[in-house]
Amino acid sequence: MDRKYIIVAGGVISGVGKGVATASIGKILKEYGFKTTAIKIDPYINVDAGTLRPTEHGEVWVTDDGGEIDQDLGNYERFLGETLSKINNITTGQIYYSVIKKEREGKFLGKTVQFIPHIPNEILERIKIASNNYDFALVEIGGTIGDYENIPFLFAAKSLERQIGKENVVYILITYLPIPSHIKEMKTKPTQQAIKSLSEHGIFPDIILCRAKEPLDDVRKKKIEIYANIDREFVISAPDISTIYRIPLNFEKEKLGKKILKKLGIKKRKKADFKHWEKLVDNIEHPRMNIKIAMVGKYLDIGDYSLLDVYISIKEALVHAGANLRVGVETEWINSKTLEKRENNIKNLSSYDGIIIPGGFGETGIEGKILAIEFARKQKIPLLGLCLGLQLAVIEFARNVCALSGANSTEFEESTKYPVIDVLPSQKKLLDNARIGGTMRLGAYAAFLESDSLTLSLYRKTGRIEKDKERLKEMLGRKDERYRMGRTPIGKNTILERHRHRYEVSPGFVHFLEDSGLKIAGFHKRLDDVNLIEFIEINDHPFFIATQSHPEFKSFLDDPAPLFLGLIEASLKQKKKR
Ligand code: GLN
């Protein structure tokens, strides 16, 4: 079968779930037995999302190969259950950067380098590389139709169609139908305009997904059918739902997958089996009980609104773990700064069943987070620390248990007497040698888990050790990825988690911490034999685990992240105790 492309574009407004819809279509096609991948196009000039402000763009997603990417890639990975590469994200910045570089290197042999054909050609080349070896590639064009920014990508889509034939391409338009509160009537006009804008680029949607608060009625379906000149069966209603994980099930009910195949003149390879997924979605919608988790982080405002996207992967990882235990997880966002102000605010933390200290940069609210960690440690409230969360747990332990008063990270206090968290100069050199640029440890790194740790028992229980084995083997086979393995012992206790940080636990302080009872539950052994701390635990505590990694980037509805599962189990016990 020739490779098929599904081009997804959005009309009317952004933020209506285009990424999740794309991911859900991918999930269905995968269920039908097709090898499926998804590519996200971001029309901004940044080369990647690493330098974007989280307040504008939500959380940065990190791939195994160290890409810092828009979180839609997170949705693709979560729904497809596949490890995607950074090449699955294409930005305008990358395209121009590469075309200009080629021009400087004389690769265009004296030709005039122009928008057409050079920019769309570069886009197409990248789409083809990312979709190599797949039956289906979904290509989601970011932004909204009508934006100046996505014109080159629409042009590239049209060229793709010309090259491989319309029989191999399906266009899907995702629109939004508002119901203005003063008229209480669903309006189709913005959708009509989006169809018109798209047609100006020579693209006529094969399928229109109509996002709205409510299902589309017949009158409106008919309007769109006539306006877009497509049969009604291809106008699909996608109303708001209780959980994003219901979307593939709803699409399946609407026979969306079948309709896509019909457009392409092909048949399913196997019968889809959504039983387990359906059960998990049902668990999300009907939990047997609820627990309350405090997320002690930075509270981010944009104007009068606060951005909830900053910790989206953590939120999803909690949903996944909760679904598998049929427990509803209520996450409350606590501004760590408020904990610094009043002692009572700290005491209020005892009304939660568990606490998460998420990752972060910069010194705002750091002391509040350290107070929360101390409280959780002493009051034996389940705690999970992620990245910065581990660093702060180490600082708290150094200050209050090892009596290294004033211990800190050089990120917050350069001249601290006890730099228990620091940038390792050797680390910088290693990263330079690996020619990966920048000073961050990015992407998947191997960690060896100690045999008597709670961490290991959770990774075993969830089958992660076995799953990571395959990926580790693949990595070992690739010279350019060898540094991700380092000299970490490979055997039955090795796992892979993703990273995004600059600072590490200072190796020189590890024995102080251990002597005072901090358990090093996992480490990465670098190529120069230096051990980097990856997991810590406190023994005399129902659940106190922190990791230098971001396990939330490897959490799936049907394969929850081990530490999140552990946290929810412990929080359930905590609730019963309270
Ligand atoms: N700011 C810390 C570092 O760079 C932690 C980063 C994070 O939590 N992702 O090491």
Side-chain angles (χ1 to χ4, degrees), residues 358-362 386-389 391 411-412 440 500-504 548 550:
F361 294 82
L386 304 167
C387 201
L388 177 67
Q391 299 175 354
E411 180 176 4
F412 319 124
M440 283 235 225
R500 183 173 188 254
H501 59 105
R502 199 166 276 124
Y503 294 79
E504 304 280 352
Q548 189 56 79
H550 286 282

Side-chain angles (χ1 to χ4, degrees), residues 200-217:
E200 284 163 8
H201 299 277
I203 294 175
F204 301 93
D206 296 293
I207 292 170
I208 301 178
L209 281 182
C210 300
R211 287 278 301 111
K213 195 160 177 282
E214 286 161 22
L216 220 62
D217 61 6

